[in-house]
């Protein structure tokens, strides 16, 4: 016996059934914090009850792919002045034209070599390049290491060059004559070179500058650099950001590579007098605009009882290179270098006696919704709003992870009990649900995440003992 078919379609999905057949249906959808299941035992007319819930968004399916162990002997700092994890740390992973690229230091403590590795996404084996440079250790005690000295990687789409900036923590030539600023750049096309040519020969000798002519005119432009990181614009330019100064007097700089040469370093802010402050945050591009979101660090705040950092700040620039004027969330224009950063303040996450030591994670969606996570005394605060004109909402109760936006959903990826977990909510909401949790396999000490298209990549350090630890990459495909 056959029955006519009826297709019912709603915002959360569709059901194809017969309105007369005595069948049982189970429909699952997500609507904010609600996981909705319905069983209809007597035919499809009851499906109207399901589809009557308006505005729901179907749950994503997340598939984990193990991209394998990069190496079994990454450096873990068993003797350090600052921190113990130098790999993975900072801007150390990129995905470009079908390849995953990661940077790392090789263990143990007596080795400390710089390495660059890559593999095709979803297939193949990791291929490696070893560089002659070794981590320089803490400037005042060469028996101790320094976890600030990350290896940042950028890849320029205009010429397929690979750029590495590494092993710097506010050094001058007096600290390390030939290692105060460490820059390695590949030959053009190297990012896509075949595996048979993936060797150190792809790279020029290490330099202590980005642009020789600029360094000749002003050698100090490449002194005292810390926290390098790369951003790629829609036009294919490569932007590098870094800090010059210290933890309470941070001058942030932006410099552009156009596929041929590096330009002048543009000072983003000027910290002087009453405006002297540290900067702990990041620069990111959303909707062809550059944004910066950060916490400040000032001695006055610490004297008032705030531990380490204070405040939540947000700025944006209509030029995705970030080197023209910047704006507050209210649209007030400020020329570079920014002097007074207080007009950019949007929140006060902590109170005296509470600790904020790291920077916030933040996203802006395609429709303009803003979400940020600030960690206060080990617990995360969630700031969010649907549009720039809406008031900013604040809620507790999200993991201390990294935020990404895919479609109209916000994804937060973190480690819980040493394993990855992914939570999600619709943009402009605080209805977090766990969509994927890794429950077996190794546990991890730390990870660094990036998004590429509709996948999240997690570069992880395994939680085992010693100064030579395994590192691996997990990929989470969101469907």
């Amino acid at each position: 016996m056959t029955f006519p078919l009826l297709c019912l379609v709603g915002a959360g999905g569709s059901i194809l059934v017969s309105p007369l057949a005595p069948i049982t249906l189970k429909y699952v959808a997500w609507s904010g914090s609600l996981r909705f299941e319905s069983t209809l035992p007597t035919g499809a007319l009851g499906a109207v009850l399901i589809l009557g819930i308006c505005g729901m968004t179907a749950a994503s399916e997340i598939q984990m792919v193990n991209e394998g162990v990069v190496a079994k002997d990454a450096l873990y700092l068993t003797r350090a002045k600052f921190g113990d994890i130098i790999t993975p740390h900072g801007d150390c992973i990129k995905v470009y034209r079908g390849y995953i690229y990661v940077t790392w230091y090789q263990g143990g403590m007596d080795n400390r070599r710089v390495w660059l590795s890559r593999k095709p996404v979803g297939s193949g084996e990791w291929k490696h390049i070893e560089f002659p440079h070794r981590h320089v250790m803490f400037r005042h005690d060469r028996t101790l290491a320094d976890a600030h000295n990350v290896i940042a990687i950028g890849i320029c789409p205009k010429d397929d060059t690979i750029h590495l900036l590494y092993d710097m923590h506010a050094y001058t030539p007096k600290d390390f004559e030939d290692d105060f600023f460490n820059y390695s750049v590949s030959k053009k096309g190297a990012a896509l070179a075949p595996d048979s040519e993936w060797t150190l020969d792809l790279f020029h000798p290490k330099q202590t500058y980005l642009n020789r002519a600029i360094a000749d005119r002003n050698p100090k432009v490449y002194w005292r650099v810390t926290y390098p990181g790369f951003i790629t614009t829609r036009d294919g330019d490569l932007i590098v950001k870094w800090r010059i100064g210290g933890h309470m007097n941070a001058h942030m700089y932006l410099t552009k590579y156009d596929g041929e040469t590096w330009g002048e370093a543009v000072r983003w802010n000027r910290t002087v007098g009453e405006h002297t402050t540290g900067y702990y945050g990041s620069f990111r591009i959303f909707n062809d605009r550059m944004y910066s979101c950060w916490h400040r660090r000032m001695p006055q705040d610490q004297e008032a009882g705030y531990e380490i950092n204070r405040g939540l700040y947000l700025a944006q620039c209509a030029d995705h290179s970030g080197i023209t004027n910047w704006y507050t969330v209210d649209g007030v224009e400020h020329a570079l270098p920014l002097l007074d950063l207080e007009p950019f303040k949007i929140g006060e996450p902590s109170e005296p006696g509470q600790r904020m030591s790291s920077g916030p994670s933040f996203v802006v969606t395609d429709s303009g919704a803003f979400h940020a996570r600030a960690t206060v005394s080990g617990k995360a605060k969630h700031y969010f709003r649907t549009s720039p004109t809406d008031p900013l909402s604040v809620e507790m109760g999200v993991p201390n992870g990294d935020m990404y936006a895919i479609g109209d959903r916000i994804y937060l990826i973190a480690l819980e009990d040493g394993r990855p977990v992914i939570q999600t909510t619709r943009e402009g909401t605080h209805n977090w649900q766990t969509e994927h949790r890794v429950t077996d396999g190794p546990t991890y000490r730390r990870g660094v995440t990036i998004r590429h298209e509709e996948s999240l990549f997690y570069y992880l350090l395994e939680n085992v003992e010693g100064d030579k630890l395994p590192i691996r990459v997990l990929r989470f495909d969101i469907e």
Side-chain angles (χ1 to χ4, degrees), residues 286-287 289 291-294 312-316 327-332 343-348 361-373 381-395 403 405 407-410 425-432:
F286 302 104
N287 304 327
R289 290 173 171 262
Y291 289 81
S292 183
C293 187
W294 72 95
L312 182 67
Y313 296 77
L314 180 67
Q316 62 177 307
Y327 295 83
T328 69
V329 294
D330 298 321
V332 179
F344 299 94
K345 189 173 185 178
I346 61 171
E348 188 71 273
S361 179
F362 77 104
V363 293
V364 178
T365 69
D366 292 345
S367 64
F370 168 77
H371 290 255
R373 183 271 305 151
K381 265 186 180 177
H382 177 209
Y383 285 80
F384 61 100
R385 63 180 169 215
T386 304
S387 73
T389 59
D390 291 337
L392 197 63
S393 299
V394 186
E395 297 284 354
M403 282 186 171
D408 66 348
R409 301 201 68 83
I410 309 302
T425 188
R426 284 184 66 183
E427 62 180 359
T429 70
H430 180 74
N431 301 313
W432 295 96

Side-chain angles (χ1 to χ4, degrees), residues 143-279:
T143 68
L144 302 176
D146 190 342
H148 289 88
N149 296 30
V150 300
I151 310 171
I153 177 172
I155 302 174
C156 181
K158 287 187 171 180
D159 60 0
D160 299 325
T161 48
I162 303 171
H163 303 253
L164 303 178
L165 282 168
Y166 51 95
D167 209 12
M168 297 179 281
H169 189 188
Y171 301 140
T172 72
K174 289 184 178 180
D175 298 308
F176 301 102
E177 183 177 0
D178 298 317
D179 298 315
F180 65 92
F181 183 93
N182 303 298
Y183 172 55
S184 292
V185 59
S186 75
K187 300 172 185 177
K188 293 181 183 296
L192 303 179
D195 285 350
S196 60
E197 299 176 14
W198 187 250
T199 69
L200 187 60
D201 291 339
L202 288 174
F203 282 80
H204 300 288
K206 190 190 77 171
Q207 303 171 184
T208 56
Y209 52 84
L210 295 183
N211 184 309
R212 181 60 181 266
I214 293 173
D216 288 343
R217 293 196 306 269
N218 180 16
K220 292 184 179 181
V221 72
Y222 301 121
W223 292 13
R224 302 199 68 204
V225 169
T226 310
Y227 300 134
F230 293 94
I231 310 165
T232 305
T233 72
R234 176 200 62 207
D235 297 333
D237 293 326
L238 193 62
I239 308 297
V240 64
K241 66 86 182 174
W242 62 55
R243 183 188 82 184
I244 289 181
H247 66 120
M248 288 192 186
N249 62 326
H251 299 267
M252 304 304 298
Y253 283 79
L254 300 170
T255 310
K256 182 169 75 173
Y257 176 77
D258 61 7
E260 294 295 334
T261 187
W262 285 100
E264 297 281 353
V266 177
R267 181 184 287 190
W268 183 77
N269 71 306
R270 184 168 177 260
T271 175
V272 64
E274 63 178 324
H275 303 299
T276 300
T277 181
Y279 169 101

